[in-house]
Amino acid sequence: MALEGTERRANRAAVQGWDYNQAKEEQLWHLERRSKTPAEIVNILCNTPPFRPNGEGIQRINVGPPGKPIEYVTLLDGFRTQIFLEAGLLGQGLAQRGYDQHMNFAEKTQEAIATKGGQRIRVPAATLTAPQSTPVETAHEDMIHDAQLDYYGKRLATCSSDRTIKIFDVIDGEKKGAGVTLRGHSGPVWQVAWGHPKYGNILASCSYDGKVFIWKEQAPPSGAAAGSWTKIKEYAAHSASVNSVSWAPHELGAIVACGSSDGKISVLTFENDGKWNVEQFDGHVGGCTAVSWAPATLPGSLINPSTTATPNASSAPAANQQQPASPPSVKRFVSAGCDNKVKIWVHKPSSPSGSSAWQLEETLDGHSDWVRDVAWAPNIGLPRSYIATASQDKTVCVWTKDSPGARWEKTTLEGGSGEGNKFFPDVVWRASWSLAGNILAVSCGDGKVTLWKENLKGGWECVSEMTS
């Protein structure tokens, strides 16, 4: 990302008639510079008010010679940055190519002010400050094990050892109304997961009772504000506690994976005929603690979709056949277990012998105790993939893979006090990625949640800390 010279910007401002203020421009641009890729920067700009795609304050202009497109993203006349989308730059830290002026609307300043056509435009401070926690009274009668916001961030689902699930409306970060209580499990409910809204308001839950429930909100009757929740699927094929449940990316269909203490993993797929197809296979000796789906888009498909084939495809297209416009997809997820291992599973066509369509692709061995959680980072098709693992051994590992053919490399976060201390103060229970896949949240047994981000040198730094 490069900025125009100060004198040139001032001259252009005078010619075009917009108010140029160097101090305000620097305040806007010289925020925390930790974004690693141009795609991250574009994602941040397109999701931070008032910078909206095709709306106020943002304009996309594609220029450059054939084969080497350069995309300009113009923000508030005069605030222009060059986002280089050359294939050679995508997926790499810009510092490797000499571009060291990165930005991230995250911290450092309380607000940034710019002008456009004489009108002052203010970036809300809420988008620039460290995250703030808001307590929510759930009225659960026992320990809460999980809390998940839906796709739009408008509903909060919680589950507890009191064997219930509660759903609340959330407005401006605060709970509204008494909410809805779902009952049906006969043991502690460990986890809940929202499905994509294209399938309706749908929620999956798993419990110590060995069951997985799929709940769906029915259309509200005429004049009613909200509909009633109904259990549409009960899966009880596991012989022990079901510890984790996770929906696949919506591009793959209505598919949910669950891991159990009996060591088995189940994948439930909702078919077009209205029935659920079930696949179950052995996952981890001693039990499976967590599952997480990989992004549907194959790594690297954004850069070179023509050379990235879909593993599920039965045959390659002819040489003169036009490639599909959408990137190829693949069914893949990662699981963690009591065998201290992390395993990556990929879906392959069933063999004539009837063997499972889910096959072990790779095993990641880097923890010395149970792996409590695993999270695969979102990806829009860039070459690099990230997996985070949290363990009973008080460590968190981030596994990276630079290209589909590369090996997974492990980096252990320095969660303890003092330089080089890789041990968190207590057991690490959960790890979760931001929607952009560039910030990792870690929940530790000491009651703290820390946020981590990769720096330009490939190391991971704690950028924020929240205490319950």
Side-chain angles (χ1 to χ4, degrees), residues 344-414:
I344 299 174
W345 307 88
V346 64
H347 190 270
K348 300 288 182 66
S350 299
S351 65
S353 62
S355 62
S356 173
W358 290 97
Q359 299 180 12
L360 180 63
E361 183 179 56
E362 200 159 355
T363 299
L364 307 180
D365 194 352
H367 289 285
S368 60
D369 209 333
W370 290 10
V371 184
R372 288 293 183 179
D373 198 18
V374 62
W376 202 312
N379 192 328
I380 60 173
L382 297 177
R384 175 171 285 192
S385 300
Y386 294 85
I387 294 176
T389 56
S391 174
Q392 184 82 18
D393 64 12
K394 302 181 181 181
T395 67
V396 173
C397 295
V398 177
W399 305 80
T400 57
K401 190 175 185 179
D402 290 331
S403 65
R407 295 174 57 88
W408 287 96
E409 301 293 339
K410 184 185 75 169
T411 301
T412 305
L413 303 188
E414 297 183 1

Side-chain angles (χ1 to χ4, degrees), residues 218-228:
Q218 306 301 323
S222 179
S228 60

